[in-house]
């Protein structure tokens, strides 16, 4: 391990309105990222960078970082935060790894994609909810990331992805195993429902997605970080 710093996703990042505020899932994924053996110059891709919190963390750990986001506001925000913190991060606008040249390969891909189950079948094409809404089962973007991940990684490369256990952690592990990756859950955290899930509680209960949630009056969701290694 050559990460001499105890880097953390930084609070107080600047944001344009509508850009995702780094929160519990960002922090949990940041904890997973800090446990990785990131050597100086290792190439890291942050898919769905938002404010750039995780991209900045990887840069402070010594990585050469590329970040993408489908939101122009997020792209501008992440660029501004990289500049303000004196880090060079290549930030590109577009869908997943679409803006990168074919054949781009990374040592590590980190992603906190939208994963909140939503009454709408399709993800929104604009607005703040694009950062979290992900279809009825919450897997619309997750599954696309999982389909892309193996070819974005060098042999030995690592995918770190956070999502709610409501979306089915075993589904993610099975997809990764079927793609020949060694996958496991390395971090878990319980967190009270935020305003989005709370507002959807009747729908989540009706669909059975909230049945596994912990807690009584204030339901609690579980977040998990899936770590997968390309052989
Ligand atoms: C939950 S937020 C995470 C932001 C940041 N990584 C963090 O952890 O604080 C998800 C981000 O993914 C972006 N996003 C949603 N769909 C995307 C897609 N298809 N391709 C790239 N980015 C996407 C959203 O704009 C949003 O910034």
């Amino acid at each position: 391990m050559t990460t001499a710093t105890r880097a953390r996703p930084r609070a107080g990042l600047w944001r344009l309105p509508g850009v995702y505020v780094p929160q519990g899932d960002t922090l949990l994924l940041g904890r997973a990222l800090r446990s990785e053996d990131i050597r100086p110059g290792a190439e890291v891709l942050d898919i769905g960078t938002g404010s750039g919190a995780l991209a900045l963390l990887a840069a402070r750990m010594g990585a050469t970082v590329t970040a993408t986001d489908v939101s122009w506001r997020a792209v501008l925000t992440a660029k501004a935060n990289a500049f303000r913190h004196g880090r060079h991060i290549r930030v590109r606008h577009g869908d997943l790894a679409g803006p990168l040249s074919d054949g781009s390969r990374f040592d590590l891909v980190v992603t906190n994609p939208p994963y909140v189950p939503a009454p709408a079948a399709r993800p929104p094409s604009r607005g703040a909810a694009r950062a979290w809404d992900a279809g009825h089962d919450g897997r619309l973007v997750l599954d696309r990331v999982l389909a892309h991940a193996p070819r974005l990684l060098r042999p030995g490369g690592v995918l770190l992805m956070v999502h709610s256990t409501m979306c089915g952690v075993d589904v993610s592990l099975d997809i990764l195993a079927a793609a020949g990756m060694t996958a496991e859950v390395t971090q878990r955290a319980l967190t009270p429902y935020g305003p989005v899930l709370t507002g959807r509680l009747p729908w989540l209960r009706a669909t059975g997605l909230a049945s596994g949630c912990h807690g009584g009056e204030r339901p609690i969701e579980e977040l998990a970080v899936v770590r997968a290694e390309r052989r």
Side-chain angles (χ1 to χ4, degrees):
M1 180 90 181
T2 52
T3 50
T5 57
R6 301 297 297 160
R8 289 174 182 280
R10 282 225 170 126
L13 292 174
W14 178 82
R15 280 182 309 111
L16 280 169
V19 175
Y20 190 76
V21 181
Q23 44 200 283
D25 47 8
T26 317
L27 290 172
L28 191 67
L29 192 52
R31 193 190 300 164
L33 182 55
R34 288 199 310 279
S35 321
E36 293 295 325
D37 181 7
I38 296 194
R39 295 170 191 284
E43 290 194 70
V44 170
L45 172 64
D46 177 18
I47 297 177
T49 194
S51 64
L54 295 162
L56 269 171
L57 172 60
R60 284 191 282 123
M61 290 171 72
T64 298
V65 184
T66 302
T68 65
D69 204 292
V70 76
S71 151
W72 273 112
R73 285 173 181 240
V75 167
L76 294 174
T77 296
K79 284 188 181 202
N81 282 321
F83 178 76
R84 292 172 79 230
H85 290 274
R87 300 287 172 179
H88 175 73
I89 295 172
R90 194 166 66 119
V91 189
R92 296 288 181 265
H93 173 255
D95 178 49
L96 305 184
L100 312 181
S101 51
D102 282 350
S104 297
R105 296 280 181 278
F106 297 87
D107 301 297
L108 189 143
V109 174
V110 63
T111 184
N112 177 8
Y115 57 76
V116 175
R122 293 163 63 87
S125 57
R126 57 196 308 136
R130 191 162 50 168
W132 53 80
D133 276 0
H136 292 325
D137 60 2
R139 298 202 60 92
L140 276 182
V141 185
L142 292 181
D143 286 346
R144 294 183 57 231
V145 172
L146 294 175
H148 278 74
R151 59 178 175 272
L152 289 171
L153 291 168
R154 301 196 168 106
V158 168
L159 168 72
L160 293 176
M161 180 172 78
V162 67
H163 64 78
S164 171
T165 59
M166 205 185 282
C167 317
V169 167
D170 286 345
V171 178
S172 299
L173 296 177
D174 288 349
I175 292 171
L176 289 162
M181 306 215 6
T182 309
E184 61 181 334
V185 172
T186 54
Q187 306 273 344
R188 289 182 188 268
L190 296 175
T191 178
Y193 273 27
V196 174
L197 282 180
T198 302
R200 277 177 201 169
L201 196 50
W203 177 80
L204 289 168
R205 288 209 164 113
T207 55
L209 285 166
S211 60
C213 74
H214 307 247
E217 299 239 321
R218 182 127 191 237
I220 288 176
E221 78 169 324
E222 185 179 42
L223 300 174
V225 174
V226 172
R227 181 186 190 278
E229 199 165 323
R230 196 186 144 185
R231 295 182 196 126

